[in-house]
Amino acid sequence: MTTLLKQFIISQFAQVKSASAIARDTNVSVTTALRLFDHVAYISTQLPEVLSIDEFKGNADGEEF
């Protein structure tokens, strides 16, 4: 498998496509596509220290919260 093909497969994960669709489009197995996905680097976001909750009191299906 060429480096260009690997890069293309990894870039396809940025689209809204399943791993099986990517594998079918690039003529590789689903396992291979998912193995390449392990090399994707993404930024880990952190949750904020403070969480705000809306004070709206609703009534949904008879359940109040």
Side-chain angles (χ1 to χ4, degrees):
M1 181 180 306
T2 65
T3 302
L4 188 60
L5 178 59
K6 290 178 185 178
Q7 291 172 346
F8 179 74
I9 292 170
I10 291 170
S11 72
Q12 289 298 294
F13 280 105
Q15 310 299 320
V16 181
K17 292 173 115 179
S18 66
S20 59
I22 294 169
R24 183 180 58 247
D25 293 345
T26 55
N27 200 28
V28 298
S29 69
V30 176
T31 306
T32 298
L34 290 173
R35 195 172 358 185
L36 290 171
F37 182 73
D38 290 339
H39 297 287
V40 173
Y42 54 91
I43 298 170
S44 176
T45 58
Q46 294 181 351
L47 295 175
E49 290 184 29
V50 178
L51 178 65
S52 296
I53 298 176
D54 192 354
E55 295 177 10
F56 174 75
K57 182 178 179 183
N59 186 356
D61 293 330
E63 299 292 324
E64 294 185 7
F65 57 95

